[in-house]
Amino acid sequence: MWLKPDEILLKNAFKLWVTEDDNEYFVLQRRRGYGDGGGGLTGLLVGTLDTVLDSTSKVAPYRILHHTPDSQVYWSIACGVTKEEIVQHWEWLQQNIMRTLSVFDSSEDITSFVQGKIRGLIAEEGKTSLVLEEDPEKFREALLRFEKWFELPPKEKLVTYYSCSYWRGKVPCQGWLYLSTNFLCFYSYLLGAEVKLIISWDEIWRLEKTSNVILTESIHVLAHGEDHYFSMLMHLNETFVIMEQLADYSVKRLFDKESFQREPALSDPLQITKRGLEAHAKSEQFRTFFRLPKEENLLEVHESFLWVPFSHFNTLGKICLSENYLCFASQDGSQCHVIIPMREVINVEKSDASSRALTVCMRGKRALRFSEVRGYQLLANTIRSRCGISASPQHSASSEAIRGECQSLINHFEDNPEDVTLMVGQKDSSKAVSTEALMTVFHPQDVENLEPKMLKEKMKEQSWNIHFSEYGRGTSMFFTRKTRDLIVRGVPEALRGELWMLFSGAVNDMATHPGYYSDLVEQSLGTSTLATDEIERDLHRSLPEHPAFQSDTGISALRRVLTAYAYRNPKIGYCQAMNILTSVLLLYAKEEEAFWLLVAVCERMLPDYFNRRIIGALVDQAVFEDLIRENLPQLVEHMTDLSFFSSVSLSWFLTLFISVLPIESAVNVVDCFFYDGIKAILQLGLAVLDYNLGALISCQDDAEAVTILNKFFDSVTNKDSPLPSTVQQASVGNNDRASHLKVDISELIREAYEKYGNIRTEEVESSRKRNKLHVIQTLEDTTKQNVIRVVTQEVQFSASHLDSLYNLFKRQHFLCCYWTMKSPALLHHDPSLAYLEQYQLGFQQFSTLFSLLEPWAFCNSKSPLSLWVFRLIDENQDGLVNFKEFCFALDTLYSGSFTNKLKFLFKLHLPPAFDLPEDGVIKKSPERGRGKVDLQAYLKQWQNEILRKEETIKDLPRINQTQFIQFSKTLYNIFHGDPEEESLYRAVAHVTSLLLRMEEVGRRLQEPSSPSESTKSADTAGAAEEEEEEPSAGEASTTPESSGSRNSQDAGADLTEMQWSFSFEQVLASLLNEPTIVRFFERPVDVHTKLGQARVAQLKLKANK
């Protein structure tokens, strides 16, 4: 590798370098302790220095120095890991530089020319790969060490590196931590003790920051059941964020592709950089906090003051700018933030330069004034350039009309406080299939109703209207503590849909996608998929007691929304619990609004909840368990196994308590959820357990605990609900409600916020990431155990060997995904499929792994035999081999009887393995997805497998001339390199001759021929046998393939005109008479050693390729 020229005063400092070659202008040196004559005390000391000190010149074992005859100064210009690499650089200098240097007069010119040439070479190399790195020169040095120490494939992308200590027990090893796209690596070399660690991100179970008495602060990594601790990091938080991002990236890319496909910025593993990961983490946090669409990225951050009109002071905070939004969040603890869509901005005005202020003017005669903004002119120009681009003309007009209408209402309210009712229900009538919320259709409000509940409802509306007049209304409303207080008290029925849209961010989705829902409804109309079948089945199970869903109006709206979403997002399609949630959304929001609320919940607020494995819900249950341990220690002491709460609380998370609470109470929980996200559900869950703490501690078993919680939920009421009894949900345990003390939902929510409101959203998100690794790996481990349980009944491998074999199989699947942007292998992995079909290998993957594991080294990855084996074990001919099929093949070769091993080899040379084209083309696997499943085909296939009788040797067809010749070649390939190779070759030749004579005798008995022809054929066969019985020393070393070809073809030279064939019984009987061959095939295989060697060689084989 070429290095930026660096001055070295002493070319042989401390005698650490040995000169290998030199000339007038260059010196090639070798590091002492490397190469010939290395080792000893000097080698140990040099190796320790190389690891601890951060300099490539001290690490690379070879280097080239430049000097001039009349100068004592030397310049390092190249280094190399191997002698071949450095010699290549040396020869390039000899051929391209040496002749040119003779024309220069002064040594300064020579040095200047050489330095310029080397810098040009470095710049040319760095144009592609290192252009995104912060310090290309240092990064090249680190990359050199990374490649030298770990020998990973060249495509592996190093992201960043850190100096740290790795703890082996209680002893720290100082070294270097390297974080690449697919691996976490550590290297240390101290006084001869080398520590090398390579962990792939997809093998990590837990990643967290920890601290204890010995380690003040460290990073804990759990993989393969082993704990690894890294400490003494200069930038521990930065390191942890990068590790967290890489682990999450790997999980999404390899296990959870549904969410990964929505992040195109990270789709190419060869382009991942530290800067890119940090930017991605910040954008993710930005989107989560402000509830923005997935397409938004954090572009700029500016510290500034914002004039807050309702408080009459400037609050310190940060301006966050994305492609389509201008956001502000305070830093002074006031919990004030505001979101301004660029489509609402009409102008940006700059004030005097002394205050560095700018004013953002919005539709509706509203303005925000930012002051003390560093770079305010640049920010103003950026906002101006983005204004009006994201909004279409017709949408701009409608938005302006809406803003004007809202402003006029607010002004009217300020002048006439008694006309509060004018503020109710003044929303834009969007063009949707159903333009009214179901609650307004089936339970219209009676303005003249003066019942206490209705009066309280009007008071709530008045409180919110006052809030709107002070803090604004719509997309640019200020979010403050007062907003949360109003949410906790309860949202009025008339404003619920509007506020849900605002707090969830769905209002922005709908505004930027006019007509999208209507188009989806038209496109999805009449489609028939597995999702639509499930939707039809669940339509009448969605809030069946509510009048809205006892009529065709509600059912049709629910069908359209669910079908449209399944059409929009086929990866999720439809999952149970979506119907219950959507039913509640339709009660309070228009149909199109309900659709966008569902999008916000499924794709942003509850990620990965609604898929086949409900990973998101399982992750949040793990977060919930952590919070129980932290906040309810008494409960933990009584119930050490908290998995009970995971099973009980699953429906709480999936349906936001809608399935366990009466509908009039559940909607209050949904109010809090749309404002505070999953944090609100976690808080309420803790409050429920806390409320029933005494009863839960005294219960004897899980069934009693479930009964206690069910009775509690039945007793929850909403005393302020204005809904009539016909609309309110009847509880299951209604008969017991009188005996149980009633609990008001508003009081329960208030208690949840008072006791557990200190839970921070950032902590919840961090806990989500930490627990997601464990949840994914637990699901993967369950898959592995189920596969092994199925396979172990039919093979002779032990459970531990099957475990290792499964890990190798799965890793081989991933090895093809690590360095490819759109690997076909990723398409083969579908977690929704049966356990055995989740991981399957295509031909290239199979041939590489099989060549590492097959016992006789006869089948390398480029051999046609790999293709024949693959075709043989691919029973359904879909171009993919699952773990069970792979194990059956290996089990036969490892532990099968002589007959079974021979039968396997025999079948390799019969159709379908042998007779297909030799071009390596394999039938592609069918499209995998969640379309219509042909259940009858599955049942028929299952029936055929049950009724299939065991194959006997008599069922095998006869092997013809071409196939038998190839069979003989295969036997020679197997025996090649064996200590008894010569004896085995003789045995095969003898069997071949014997079989040909038997064939000739049989032919002569069936079809009498002239004596001369018979004698001639017999003599030819006998001559072939005699020739093979006396091989010379030179012939014994012939390649197996040539030997096989010679013996088989010569022995049957005179039979080529006639077609002949052999049965398996004939071949078996002939080979059984050769003890050498029988001994060879019955030789036991050390499975444990073979698996260990394959594990080590798996990555190196990929690297060598």
Side-chain angles (χ1 to χ4, degrees):
M1 183 177 76
W2 298 110
L3 298 176
K4 181 181 177 182
D6 189 21
E7 186 176 334
I8 297 174
L9 295 178
L10 297 172
K11 69 167 183 175
N12 200 16
F14 306 112
K15 303 292 182 182
L16 296 179
W17 293 93
V18 179
T19 299
E20 293 273 301
D21 199 353
D22 62 353
N23 56 40
E24 190 176 357
Y25 298 108
F26 300 103
V27 181
L28 191 157
Q29 293 185 327
R30 171 177 56 84
R31 186 78 161 162
R32 194 178 292 276
Y34 293 91
D36 299 332
L41 181 60
T42 307
L44 292 177
L45 292 172
V46 172
T48 302
L49 282 172
D50 291 347
T51 306
V52 175
L53 300 179
D54 182 20
S55 173
T56 305
S57 59
K58 298 186 181 73
V59 172
Y62 298 95
R63 72 178 183 182
I64 296 176
L65 305 179
H66 162 66
H67 74 108
T68 52
D70 55 350
S71 173
Q72 293 298 315
V73 179
Y74 287 76
W75 301 83
S76 65
I77 59 171
C79 64
V81 178
T82 62
K83 190 167 184 179
E84 291 75 15
E85 181 186 359
I86 204 69
V87 166
Q88 186 178 358
H89 286 357
W90 180 261
E91 290 176 350
W92 188 90
L93 290 171
Q94 297 273 37
Q95 295 170 7
N96 297 279
I97 300 294
M98 285 298 292
R99 296 177 184 175
T100 312
L101 296 183
S102 59
V103 304
F104 292 100
D105 297 329
S106 66
S107 20
E108 288 81 4
D109 293 342
I110 292 174
T111 301
S112 178
F113 174 78
V114 171
Q115 289 180 357
K117 197 71 176 174
I118 299 303
R119 286 194 179 98
L121 291 171
I122 294 172
E124 194 64 32
E125 286 180 358
K127 275 183 180 178
T128 54
S129 58
L130 305 174
V131 70
L132 298 176
E133 306 303 336
E134 294 177 358
D135 190 340
E137 186 60 33
K138 282 190 176 180
F139 195 83
R140 290 173 81 247
E141 297 177 3
L143 185 60
L144 177 73
R145 296 195 300 271
F146 176 70
E147 292 173 348
K148 169 196 166 187
W149 286 336
F150 303 108
E151 299 178 333
L152 292 171
K155 283 187 175 181
E156 182 61 16
K157 176 75 170 63
L158 177 64
V159 175
T160 188
Y161 60 100
Y162 300 95
S163 173
C164 73
S165 292
Y166 169 62
W167 291 78
R168 301 183 72 187
K170 296 182 179 179
V171 181
C173 303
Q174 184 64 31
W176 291 91
L177 178 69
Y178 293 88
L179 307 179
S180 66
T181 307
N182 300 294
F183 299 96
L184 178 155
C185 305
F186 177 83
Y187 186 86
S188 173
Y189 184 89
L190 295 173
L191 299 177
E194 184 182 55
V195 178
K196 188 185 293 186
L197 184 70
I198 302 177
I199 302 172
S200 58
W201 294 113
D202 55 81
E203 296 170 341
I204 292 178
W205 281 66
R206 191 165 287 279
L207 177 65
E208 58 191 349
K209 286 189 286 188
T210 59
S211 60
N212 53 42
V213 178
I214 301 175
L215 306 176
T216 53
E217 203 171 15
S218 63
I219 295 175
H220 171 222
V221 177
L222 173 63
H224 295 298
E226 296 181 9
D227 293 298
H228 307 277
Y229 292 91
F230 301 92
S231 66
M232 304 292 286
L233 286 148
M234 290 290 290
H235 308 284
L236 188 134
N237 289 329
E238 176 193 297
T239 308
F240 181 74
V241 168
I242 296 295
M243 292 172 75
E244 198 174 51
Q245 285 285 307
L246 285 169
D248 187 56
Y249 164 79
S250 181
V251 163
K252 285 181 178 178
R253 184 164 185 262
L254 302 175
F255 298 115
D256 187 26
K257 298 182 292 300
E258 292 170 6
S259 59
F260 177 75
Q261 290 174 349
R262 300 194 294 269
E263 297 182 14
L266 297 180
S267 59
D268 189 354
L270 303 181
Q271 300 300 323
I272 302 297
T273 62
K274 175 186 171 184
R275 189 184 302 171
L277 288 172
E278 289 173 341
H280 181 263
K282 289 177 182 176
S283 294
E284 203 172 39
Q285 190 177 5
F286 164 71
R287 288 191 298 264
T288 302
F289 183 82
F290 291 108
R291 305 279 168 78
L292 297 179
K294 286 282 187 183
E295 297 76 26
E296 297 300 312
N297 294 294
L298 182 60
L299 303 177
E300 297 179 24
V301 178
H302 300 269
E303 195 170 89
S304 74
F305 286 90
L306 171 64
W307 173 253
V308 184
F310 50 85
S311 299
H312 303 289
F313 71 88
N314 283 311
T315 180
L316 176 65
K318 288 185 177 179
I319 300 173
C320 301
L321 192 68
S322 71
E323 289 88 348
N324 299 296
Y325 295 90
L326 174 69
C327 306
F328 177 87
S330 65
Q331 293 178 282
D332 59 1
S334 63
Q335 297 179 355
C336 165
H337 71 271
V338 63
I339 304 164
I340 308 166
M342 292 292 187
R343 63 181 183 272
E344 297 292 330
V345 177
I346 55 175
N347 193 20
V348 180
E349 300 173 358
K350 291 184 286 186
S351 304
D352 59 305
S354 60
S355 62
R356 296 185 296 180
L358 55 90
T359 303
V360 178
C361 304
M362 295 168 287
R363 293 183 173 87
K365 298 180 181 179
R366 293 199 59 205
L368 296 177
R369 185 177 186 275
F370 300 97
S371 59
E372 299 300 325
V373 184
R374 184 177 297 177
Y376 73 101
Q377 292 182 337
L378 182 63
L379 176 61
N381 293 334
T382 304
I383 297 173
R384 280 200 193 101
S385 67
R386 294 185 179 277
C387 285
I389 298 173
S390 58
S392 58
Q394 66 270 21
H395 180 262
S396 299
S398 63
S399 296
E400 194 167 357
I402 294 167
R403 293 294 117 221
E405 185 181 354
C406 289
Q407 189 61 39
S408 64
L409 285 171
I410 292 170
N411 294 337
H412 181 86
F413 170 72
E414 289 173 345
D415 298 335
N416 306 281
E418 66 279 1
D419 291 342
V420 179
T421 53
L422 287 176
M423 296 297 291
V424 180
Q426 299 292 331
K427 292 187 290 181
D428 175 36
S429 57
S430 58
K431 295 179 181 179
V433 180
S434 176
T435 56
E436 293 294 333
L438 294 178
M439 195 62 81
T440 52
V441 176
F442 289 88
H443 177 53
Q445 286 194 13
D446 185 3
V447 180
E448 297 179 359
N449 190 341
L450 298 179
E451 291 181 3
K453 287 186 178 181
M454 287 305 299
L455 289 175
K456 196 162 187 178
E457 185 75 4
K458 289 179 181 179
M459 289 175 63
K460 283 184 185 178
E461 291 178 16
Q462 187 173 2
S463 298
W464 274 98
N465 288 325
I466 294 171
H467 184 80
F468 291 147
S469 66
E470 292 181 358
Y471 299 90
R473 187 172 188 172
T475 52
S476 55
M477 184 179 84
F478 282 91
F479 295 79
T480 65
R481 285 178 178 172
K482 191 174 180 181
T483 314
R484 179 180 278 112
D485 292 341
L486 287 173
I487 290 287
V488 172
R489 290 180 205 167
V491 175
E493 299 278 317
L495 297 178
R496 187 160 268 138
E498 176 186 351
L499 293 175
W500 285 358
M501 289 289 288
L502 179 63
F503 297 149
S504 66
V507 64
N508 292 314
D509 290 328
M510 192 169 89
T512 53
H513 295 82
Y516 177 82
Y517 175 68
S518 301
D519 293 341
L520 269 186
V521 170
E522 289 179 13
Q523 293 167 13
S524 61
L525 193 66
T527 57
S528 178
T529 63
L530 184 62
T532 56
D533 291 348
E534 292 175 347
I535 289 169
E536 289 298 325
R537 187 181 64 233
D538 288 347
L539 281 177
H540 295 279
R541 303 176 187 174
S542 311
L543 301 185
E545 66 285 334
H546 198 286
F549 298 100
Q550 294 170 359
S551 71
D552 185 61
T553 304
I555 294 294
S556 298
L558 181 61
R559 178 187 291 113
R560 286 192 294 269
V561 173
L562 291 174
T563 305
Y565 185 78
Y567 189 84
R568 164 190 165 88
N569 192 344
K571 291 292 182 182
I572 292 179
Y574 169 78
C575 292
Q576 285 189 343
M578 287 174 70
N579 60 320
I580 298 174
L581 177 61
T582 309
S583 301
V584 174
L585 298 178
L586 281 166
L587 289 177
Y588 295 97
K590 299 172 186 177
E591 188 175 318
E592 184 178 6
E593 292 174 340
F595 170 79
W596 287 112
L597 283 168
L598 184 63
V599 170
V601 171
C602 294
E603 298 177 12
R604 285 202 303 273
M605 302 186 73
L606 296 179
D608 300 329
Y609 261 61
F610 302 99
N611 54 32
R612 297 302 172 106
R613 300 199 293 177
I614 56 170
I615 290 172
L618 296 176
V619 169
D620 283 342
Q621 284 180 296
V623 175
F624 188 50
E625 286 185 23
D626 290 344
L627 291 173
I628 292 173
R629 292 187 186 93
E630 185 179 336
N631 295 281
L632 299 172
Q634 290 176 293
L635 192 60
V636 175
E637 289 174 10
H638 179 71
M639 304 182 72
T640 52
D641 184 13
L642 297 182
S643 59
F644 160 74
F645 295 110
S646 294
S647 57
V648 170
S649 64
L650 181 61
S651 61
W652 305 358
F653 290 96
L654 281 174
T655 65
L656 309 179
F657 283 93
I658 295 171
S659 63
V660 293
L661 288 175
I663 185 64
E664 66 274 12
S665 301
V667 290
N668 285 37
V669 179
V670 179
D671 296 339
C672 299
F673 167 75
F674 278 123
Y675 190 83
D676 274 322
I678 194 62
K679 173 189 163 191
I681 305 300
L682 294 168
Q683 288 174 179
L684 186 61
L686 290 173
V688 168
L689 297 181
D690 189 21
Y691 194 95
N692 296 278
L693 186 61
L696 290 171
I697 289 176
S698 62
C699 66
Q700 301 298 317
D701 53 32
D702 292 351
E704 189 178 347
V706 170
T707 305
I708 290 169
L709 291 173
N710 286 339
K711 284 184 178 180
F712 171 77
F713 287 128
D714 290 340
S715 70
V716 176
T717 61
N718 187 350
K719 63 183 181 182
D720 298 333
S721 175
L723 300 179
S725 56
T726 55
V727 175
Q728 292 189 13
Q729 182 177 345
S731 300
V732 178
N734 202 33
N735 297 331
D736 300 329
R737 288 182 74 167
S739 61
H740 204 286
L741 188 64
K742 292 184 179 180
V743 182
D744 184 60
I745 187 65
S746 298
E747 293 297 325
L748 185 64
I749 290 174
R750 186 178 295 112
E751 187 177 335
Y753 272 90
E754 286 175 358
K755 285 190 174 182
Y756 307 108
N758 58 346
I759 297 172
R760 295 172 61 242
T761 305
E762 295 81 0
E763 293 173 357
V764 172
E765 291 300 321
S766 177
S767 183
R768 271 179 161 181
K769 288 182 179 178
R770 183 174 66 251
N771 284 290
K772 185 174 183 178
L773 291 174
H774 187 265
V775 167
I776 290 277
Q777 295 294 3
T778 302
L779 291 171
E780 289 294 309
D781 192 61
T782 303
T783 298
K784 178 171 73 172
Q785 297 305 326
N786 284 316
V787 169
I788 290 175
R789 191 180 299 116
V790 170
V791 175
T792 193
Q793 301 170 4
E794 303 183 46
V795 296
Q796 297 183 42
F797 287 117
S798 66
S800 62
H801 289 158
L802 278 175
D803 188 277
S804 300
L805 198 56
Y806 184 89
N807 292 336
L808 286 167
F809 189 87
K810 180 178 168 182
R811 194 181 200 192
Q812 189 64 39
H813 170 92
F814 284 153
L815 279 175
C816 291
C817 313
Y818 281 162
W819 304 284
T820 309
M821 191 167 173
K822 294 181 180 178
S823 168
L826 279 174
L827 303 176
H828 301 160
H829 177 226
D830 187 348
S832 67
L833 295 174
Y835 291 124
L836 274 172
E837 296 182 20
Q838 286 189 21
Y839 291 105
Q840 302 188 87
L841 301 184
F843 169 64
Q844 295 298 333
Q845 299 165 290
F846 164 82
S847 60
T848 303
L849 183 60
F850 190 74
S851 66
L852 292 174
L853 290 170
E854 55 94 2
W856 304 314
F858 75 100
C859 188
N860 62 55
S861 57
K862 295 182 180 179
S863 166
L865 280 167
S866 304
L867 183 60
W868 301 342
V869 174
F870 183 81
R871 289 168 174 167
L872 177 64
I873 65 179
D874 180 17
E875 294 181 359
N876 57 357
Q877 300 296 313
D878 65 345
L880 297 170
V881 166
N882 63 35
F883 182 68
K884 184 178 180 181
E885 294 167 336
F886 187 78
C887 282
F888 282 180
L890 279 184
D891 184 59
T892 301
L893 298 180
Y894 278 24
S895 311
S897 63
F898 174 76
T899 303
N900 286 337
K901 290 178 181 178
L902 194 64
K903 185 167 73 172
F904 183 87
L905 295 173
F906 189 84
K907 288 170 70 175
L908 283 184
H909 302 85
L910 294 172
F914 184 75
D915 261 3
L916 293 176
E918 298 296 327
D919 56 2
V921 175
I922 295 184
K923 181 182 173 183
K924 292 182 179 178
S925 61
E927 187 72 23
R928 299 180 180 275
R930 297 201 179 98
K932 269 284 192 184
V933 178
D934 191 349
L935 297 176
Q936 289 186 346
Y938 272 108
L939 289 171
K940 188 175 181 180
Q941 181 181 347
W942 184 42
Q943 184 182 20
N944 291 338
E945 288 178 359
I946 293 174
L947 298 176
R948 185 189 299 166
K949 62 178 183 178
E950 189 175 348
E951 185 181 53
T952 65
I953 58 176
K954 292 184 178 180
D955 297 327
L956 293 174
R958 296 173 69 86
I959 193 169
N960 64 29
Q961 179 178 345
T962 307
Q963 294 163 351
F964 180 73
I965 291 172
Q966 189 58 53
F967 176 74
S968 302
K969 289 182 179 181
T970 300
L971 289 177
Y972 282 116
N973 286 332
I974 290 174
F975 301 149
H976 181 61
D978 190 83
E980 298 185 36
E981 180 180 0
E982 188 175 336
S983 303
L984 291 165
Y985 282 2
R986 289 174 181 270
V988 173
H990 183 262
V991 167
T992 305
S993 301
L994 181 62
L995 286 169
L996 289 171
R997 288 183 176 182
M998 288 169 58
E999 174 65 18
E1000 178 60 25
V1001 170
R1003 189 180 299 280
R1004 204 163 36 175
L1005 290 173
Q1006 290 178 6
E1007 298 178 8
S1009 58
S1010 62
S1012 59
E1013 287 181 359
S1014 302
T1015 308
K1016 182 177 179 183
S1017 299
D1019 290 345
T1020 306
E1025 183 181 3
E1026 289 173 9
E1027 184 181 345
E1028 286 299 329
E1029 285 177 352
E1030 297 178 359
S1032 63
E1035 288 172 340
S1037 62
T1038 354
T1039 62
E1041 203 162 307
S1042 62
S1043 302
S1045 176
R1046 185 189 66 222
N1047 293 318
S1048 304
Q1049 292 175 0
D1050 290 352
D1054 292 319
L1055 297 175
T1056 52
E1057 298 299 327
M1058 298 175 288
Q1059 285 299 319
W1060 43 267
S1061 61
F1062 301 115
S1063 66
F1064 178 72
E1065 293 103 315
Q1066 289 175 304
V1067 176
L1068 176 64
S1070 303
L1071 290 172
L1072 280 171
N1073 289 324
E1074 299 295 334
T1076 315
I1077 294 178
V1078 175
R1079 209 165 43 243
F1080 175 86
F1081 281 107
E1082 291 183 345
R1083 192 183 301 161
V1085 179
D1086 187 346
V1087 181
H1088 184 75
T1089 303
K1090 198 75 179 174
L1091 292 174
Q1093 291 171 347
R1095 170 79 184 176
V1096 174
Q1098 199 172 28
L1099 264 181
K1100 290 187 176 179
L1101 192 64
K1102 189 79 182 176
N1104 293 335
K1105 284 186 177 181

